[in-house]
Amino acid sequence: EEWKERGAALTVRKELDASGKPVLRTVKKGVQDFSFGRILGEGSYSSVYLATDRQSLKEYAIKVLEKRHIIKEKKVKYVNIEKNTLNRLTEHPGIVRLYYTFQDENSLYYVLDLCSGGELLGILKRTGTFDVECTRFYGAQILDAIRYMHSRGVIHRDLKPENVLLDDNMHVKITDFGTAKLLPDPKDPDSGGGNATMQGDGRSASFVGTAEYVSPELLMDKSASKASDLWAFGCIIYQLLAGRPPFKGGSEYLTFQKIVNLEYEFPPGFPPAARDLVERCLVLEPARRLTIEHIMNHEFFDSQPFGRDLWRTKAPRLRPYVPP
Ligand SMILES: Nc1ncnc2c1ncn2[C@@H]1O[C@H](COP(=O)(O)OP(=O)(O)OP(=O)(O)O)[C@@H](O)[C@H]1O
Ligand SMILES: O=C(O)[C@@H]1CCC(=O)N(CCc2ccc(Cl)cc2)[C@H]1c1ccccc1Cl
């Protein structure tokens, strides 16, 4: 007789032991519970497969990491951060959900929501740009997910269109939390401690995101805060409407220079309300940047529902932005 705790990763099997006494045996999900399909994509340390739960026939994405490679590349911490972060972010439709983890002697396995719509970057490349309605819809979903993340004490630190996946309803699922910073969880004080490492001069040299989206404070004084995710948000809104990120130099160094000097301009015809929003996110001083609440109340998101209704709305048809 077998019953599954609702939503738990455990299957509990009721059996009789040698003396005929009924015992409960917990059986964790493992590789044999899934049939693996095609590769969905590859990362630096991972391969992601389409997989089907043999019992429920539900489809998942399973991210497989090879232990030997993780150890060689000194990414063991990344593995734990991704798992701990995803375990904190289980109640939001805009965050990719981690259902189970398990391992065998060579690999680690993360069973995740299947995002069959691919990456937002891929969609953007196909349409070139997004019109205002699409930018407002995807911007609002990303913002709603950031609001939830920050409320759970998680700073993503590497937000970019590649890390915004889409599910089969073309709704947002943010992924890639291995480089997130976990603030101490108010309910669990000894948690937290992102992957900051100490530098020679005693400052904590924490992780640096992807050049085009990294915030000036991370470049100038190695400190990341929730405001760093909102800098990246401003870059993403600009990129959806302009078809390219605001800061892009011929090299990483030149990109960094443009960021710390706030060197960017808007293409002609860029929508005025979006321009005002971007200008108030791309502020060098983190404390002077718009907060999430201010962004949600900004005229660009006028009459845009946030919260539950936002996730029930049908995704708009993708259209490019055509300057007037
Ligand atoms: N839940 C998912 N559903 C569908 N595709 C996914 C899912 N997660 C990741 N992918 C795809 O698999 C590929 C590898 O993703 P993964 O997160 O393992 O590495 P990455 O973060 O993209 O690369 P890197 O580790 O170098 O940053 C990506 O192209 C991504 O689009
Ligand atoms: O935190 C956990 O849930 C378990 C705890 C037990 C365990 O052994 N692991 C794997 C730890 C680990 C991390 C990196 C490498 Cl290269 C090897 C093992 C952890 C683990 C298992 C599967 C997938 C991810 C992780 Cl972190």
Side-chain angles (χ1 to χ4, degrees):
E1 186 195 332
E2 185 172 315
W3 50 275
K4 195 190 288 277
E5 276 170 43
R6 207 177 62 76
L10 295 182
T11 307
V12 181
R13 216 188 297 279
K14 203 170 164 185
E15 291 176 347
L16 302 178
D17 69 6
S19 63
K21 193 163 63 65
V23 286
L24 292 183
R25 208 160 64 82
T26 57
V27 179
K28 221 168 134 38
K29 286 272 183 195
V31 188
Q32 75 290 343
D33 293 306
F34 297 91
S35 71
F36 283 71
R38 69 185 177 88
I39 280 221
L40 295 169
E42 317 238 26
S44 323
Y45 314 101
S46 52
S47 301
V48 180
Y49 294 86
L50 175 61
T52 309
D53 181 321
R54 293 183 193 282
Q55 210 173 8
S56 66
L57 298 185
K58 189 169 181 264
E59 285 192 314
Y60 294 96
I62 299 190
K63 184 166 172 170
V64 185
L65 298 102
E66 198 189 337
K67 290 181 181 175
R68 199 179 25 256
H69 185 49
I70 296 288
I71 292 166
K72 187 159 60 59
E73 302 290 318
K74 300 187 178 32
K75 293 290 171 187
V76 176
K77 237 176 138 186
Y78 156 100
V79 161
N80 288 296
I81 294 246
E82 178 154 50
K83 188 182 181 294
N84 298 339
T85 308
L86 285 172
N87 279 341
R88 249 201 220 183
L89 305 174
T90 54
E91 314 287 324
H92 196 279
I95 311 269
V96 78
R97 171 117 186 252
L98 173 64
Y99 294 89
Y100 317 107
T101 57
F102 46 81
Q103 60 179 309
D104 58 22
E105 96 197 65
N106 299 325
S107 307
L108 301 172
Y109 300 84
Y110 293 70
V111 181
L112 303 157
D113 272 321
L114 172 61
C115 300
S116 34
E119 298 176 358
L120 184 63
L121 180 72
I123 311 286
L124 182 63
K125 279 189 173 153
R126 280 205 287 282
T127 56
T129 56
F130 278 12
D131 67 2
V132 169
E133 189 196 3
C134 287
T135 301
R136 188 179 291 138
F137 175 80
Y138 285 105
Q141 290 211 330
I142 293 168
L143 195 63
D144 204 55
I146 295 173
R147 179 173 56 152
Y148 169 74
M149 234 184 266
H150 287 182
S151 75
R152 300 289 301 119
V154 173
I155 304 171
H156 188 284
R157 298 204 296 184
D158 198 14
L159 285 173
K160 54 182 177 177
E162 294 94 311
N163 287 338
V164 179
L165 302 184
L166 298 154
D167 66 13
D168 43 2
N169 298 317
M170 291 305 276
H171 278 197
V172 154
K173 292 267 182 206
I174 293 183
T175 186
D176 223 350
F177 288 87
T179 48
K181 186 172 179 182
L182 284 176
L183 304 174
D185 187 349
K187 292 191 237 13
D188 168 11
D190 62 352
S191 69
N195 40 3
T197 49
M198 292 315 287
Q199 231 177 338
D201 57 4
R203 287 186 311 171
S204 78
S206 58
F207 155 84
V208 169
T210 304
E212 288 78 6
Y213 307 89
V214 75
S215 58
E217 63 271 19
L218 204 57
L219 293 172
M220 306 290 277
D221 47 13
K222 297 276 172 214
S223 67
S225 69
K226 292 179 177 179
S228 309
D229 282 343
L230 298 179
W231 170 279
F233 178 77
C235 293
I236 292 170
I237 295 295
Y238 176 103
Q239 182 171 356
L240 295 181
L241 286 159
R244 59 176 172 77
F247 306 102
K248 181 85 187 135
S251 67
E252 280 209 347
Y253 176 74
L254 291 170
T255 302
F256 292 157
Q257 276 233 335
K258 288 175 182 286
I259 291 167
V260 297
N261 297 321
L262 206 60
E263 233 180 274
Y264 78 105
E265 64 263 336
F266 293 91
F270 196 91
R275 174 171 179 141
D276 183 77
L277 173 63
V278 170
E279 283 171 345
R280 294 172 191 277
C281 291
L282 301 187
V283 172
L284 291 178
E285 173 53 45
R288 288 187 47 249
R289 235 166 265 162
L290 283 190
T291 64
I292 289 192
E293 282 65 32
H294 287 129
I295 299 175
M296 290 168 69
N297 294 318
H298 188 277
E299 61 164 322
F300 179 68
F301 285 114
D302 245 0
S303 76
Q304 171 66 47
F306 284 90
R308 208 170 286 286
D309 290 354
L310 173 59
W311 299 90
R312 287 204 184 106
T313 333
K314 196 169 166 313
R317 234 163 58 74
L318 294 167
R319 288 188 191 87
Y321 176 64
V322 182

